Structures are given as C-alpha cells and as structure tokens.
Amino acid sequence: MDITENMPPALARQLFEKGAFLIIAGVPEKTEFGIDLCSYSVGEKFRGVKMIPAGPHFVYTAAQGPYGDTASRIGFIHYFKSQEIVIREWDNEKEELRQRTSGNEDEEVTRIRCNLRELDSYLAPYDFSSLAKWNNLTNHMTEMTINRCLPECGLIRPSVEFESCSNEERPKGNTIATGQRINRLANDEDELLPKLKIVPETAPRFTQLPELYPKHLTTQEISLAHMDAILAVDQLFSQFPESNHLLDEIQFSFVLYLAGYSTDSLAHWRRILGILANSEAGVKKNNKFYREYLDVMQYQLPELPEELMEPTPRNTVYRDVRNLVKNCSLCDLDKEADYLMANLSQEMGWTFDGLLSEDPDDLPVVVEM
C-alpha cells in the first residue's frame, strides 16, 4: 500500500522534493528490507526508497534462504541530507548491500537526479507512521558520531566477526591461577579454545569505557566506589569533549541494537548505564546531562528485549534504573525522575516501591586499612 495515497498532493510533492533518496540495484525478490523501524519484503519492481527525512537512518537487508529461513540483518547507518541520493547495490556472494563497485558515482547520481520522476513508481515511500518514535530515539545523534563509531567496513552485523590467528596473536584473558595443577588445567583449557581474534574493521568503534572498580584501587577505595561510582563517572565524561557527545553515543549504540540486532552495541549501552546509574555525586556534578539522559531513557527502555524487562533484582538493567532514578531524585531532578518512573510503571509494569528507604544492612561498608 502506498502511504502517500491519502496525503494531500501538495504535502506529497514537498516531501518528494525535500526528502533524500536511497537507490538500490539487484536486491532479490522476497529479501527482507528495512529502514529504521519498518521492514518489507522486496518485490519485483523495488529499486529503493524516496522521501527520506533528513537525519540518521538505519538501512538493512536480510537474505531469504531456499526453505523460507531468514538470515541475520546486515545494514548500515547513514546521516541523510535533504535531497541527497545514496546508491547501494546487492552483493550476490555475501548477500548484503555494498557501495557501487563500478562506474563513476558522481555521474550516476547526476543521471539519477535527472530521471527521478521516471524512477518514482519503483521507489517505496518512507513510512512516516514510525517517524515520531524514531526521532525520539535519535534526536541527539550527529553525523560526526556516526562516522566516528561505525565499523571500518561500514556495515552493522548482529555480532563482530572473528578470524583465525596464531596462538601468539590470540587475545588471552587475565586469568590468575595459584598452584601448579591449576595453572596446568588453565593452560590445557586455553589450548582447546579456537585460535580466533576479532576482525577489527567489523567491530563498532565505541569509546573505551572505564572500569567501575579498577584493579589499582585500594580496599578502601573499592568500598567507596561501591557506594558511589564517581571515579568511573568522571573518567567517562573525560572521554568526551562535550557531554552531549556521550548522549549521542548512547543513542547510537541503542539504535544499532534496536534496528540492527547488534549484541555488542547493547552490551556497550548497558555498561554506560551501569556507570551513570550508580553515582549520586555524578548527578550533582552533571545535573543538566542527567536531565537529558532521563528523557532519552524513557524512549529507550520500553524497547528493550523481553528478557531485560523483568522487574526483579536479577535484572541488572532494572536494578541500575532504580539506582538512577533514586540518585536523580536526591539531586533536584525529582520531577524528571517521577515522570520516568510513572512512564515505566505504565508501559512496563516496573515498580519503584521503597526507592528512597535503604536498609542500612544492605549498604556497603567502608574498610579502613
């Protein structure tokens, strides 16, 4: 169904003239194709998407197998400009979209622009029904962060790729064993592991995050860090020239999970939450950032996978969000925290009873050395 059928002609014409275009060649029929939060099955005439609003958009395909099975999503994220024409073609061998490998791209863009009216019937209109939700999930995202964090290969996969390597090149854990027998057992098990390493260009280039409890801390400092993760929060903010760049990366990692099913991106998002949620001092120092962070979270949390929605202490996301709203409530962000709690209670059934009444027996103890 063409969603432009019920649009006023003047609006449809304006969207066509101002929107961006994604031109795709060679995608097989029945391939799953998606842009942002909408997906379709490719038909015979499909040649791309028109009327794409300016801003960041995630595009993916999932090849169909001979028995109706669907492969993993493989896609890219691009910051579309108004009236921009982006060209991709289908790679039959890898079953994914790639940039054009032949011809002059500038000349091809010029030729396509001169023939957009003729191409119109082959282009699916962007589905504006989900645009408001997408905008709420990406309103801080910038082209700079997309270019900085994208994998070098330019494609987003559900997980990073691995390649064979020598035993010397293989990443090793920091296992500390005591006793000759334990050391021998650890070495024997290590030899049984596949000799693999991450293909660097396939991994998102996220900011290196600080540890909540760095190894160099004393026992007393570890106890203090358990009570308030201000050291990790300060290190996290020091990684970004401006705090809004951190919000940008938070949204970037979340939509890579949401639209691209990237497990590495979800893990990165969870680690950032684990740092930011557990510091009252951090909220006091970065009050404006946390106000915006609470707003970002109200749109992200209802989109979590089902296994992370259970409101129990075993769910680390739920536990961290409780700590986040508690610390914000104690630092002059009580209205914003109350608003987030009300939304989560209504949409996800999360409860926040007894949030501000801690049992002293459950608090960490500072050990004097």
Side-chain angles (χ1 to χ4, degrees), residues 111-252:
R111 178 177 57 79
I112 290 172
R113 193 177 298 281
C114 293
N115 293 278
L116 280 175
R117 293 293 176 185
E118 288 72 21
L119 272 173
D120 184 51
S121 61
Y122 296 91
L123 302 177
Y126 181 87
D127 190 345
F128 288 88
S129 64
S130 62
L131 180 60
K133 177 187 281 191
W134 181 256
N135 285 342
N136 287 332
L137 291 164
T138 60
N139 62 321
H140 291 281
M141 280 177 58
T142 62
E143 184 176 17
M144 178 191 70
T145 290
I146 290 173
N147 293 335
R148 175 176 63 84
C149 294
L150 265 181
E152 291 179 22
C153 68
L155 294 174
I156 305 298
R157 293 179 170 85
S159 60
V160 299
E161 293 185 346
F162 292 85
E163 64 181 356
S164 299
C165 62
S166 67
N167 194 49
E168 290 72 24
E169 293 178 301
R170 178 155 54 98
K172 302 289 177 59
N174 296 320
T175 303
I176 301 175
T178 58
Q180 185 177 2
R181 182 173 177 274
I182 296 177
N183 276 322
R184 186 172 65 251
L185 177 61
N187 290 333
D188 289 345
E189 289 181 345
D190 190 60
E191 287 302 316
L192 294 174
L193 294 173
K195 293 179 174 57
L196 301 174
K197 66 177 180 179
I198 292 175
V199 180
E201 60 268 22
T202 67
R205 293 174 292 172
F206 292 130
T207 301
Q208 184 70 35
L209 300 180
E211 297 179 357
L212 266 176
Y213 314 113
K215 296 178 178 63
H216 67 271
L217 295 183
T218 65
T219 305
Q220 183 181 7
E221 289 171 333
I222 291 174
S223 296
L224 291 170
H226 275 279
M227 295 177 68
D228 194 301
I230 184 59
L231 291 177
V233 170
D234 284 345
Q235 289 180 46
L236 177 62
F237 277 100
S238 71
Q239 301 278 68
F240 296 88
E242 298 178 23
S243 61
N244 64 300
H245 294 175
L246 173 55
L247 283 173
D248 191 349
E249 187 164 323
I250 289 169
Q251 288 194 331
F252 178 83

Side-chain angles (χ1 to χ4, degrees), residues 23-27 46-47 87-91 97 100 108:
I23 308 299
I24 298 176
V27 181
F46 179 77
R47 295 295 181 274
I87 302 172
R88 292 291 188 272
E89 66 181 6
W90 183 254
D91 186 323
L97 292 175
R100 294 285 271 180
E108 188 168 9

Side-chain angles (χ1 to χ4, degrees), residues 136 291 294-299 301 325 328-329 333-347 352:
N136 287 332
R291 180 178 287 107
L294 290 177
D295 183 64
V296 166
M297 293 296 279
Q298 73 166 310
Y299 297 110
L301 291 171
V325 294
C328 288
S329 296
L333 293 177
D334 47 309
K335 291 182 180 178
E336 291 82 357
D338 287 346
Y339 186 75
L340 177 60
M341 286 189 287
N343 280 348
L344 297 179
S345 296
Q346 181 178 352
E347 294 192 36
F352 297 89

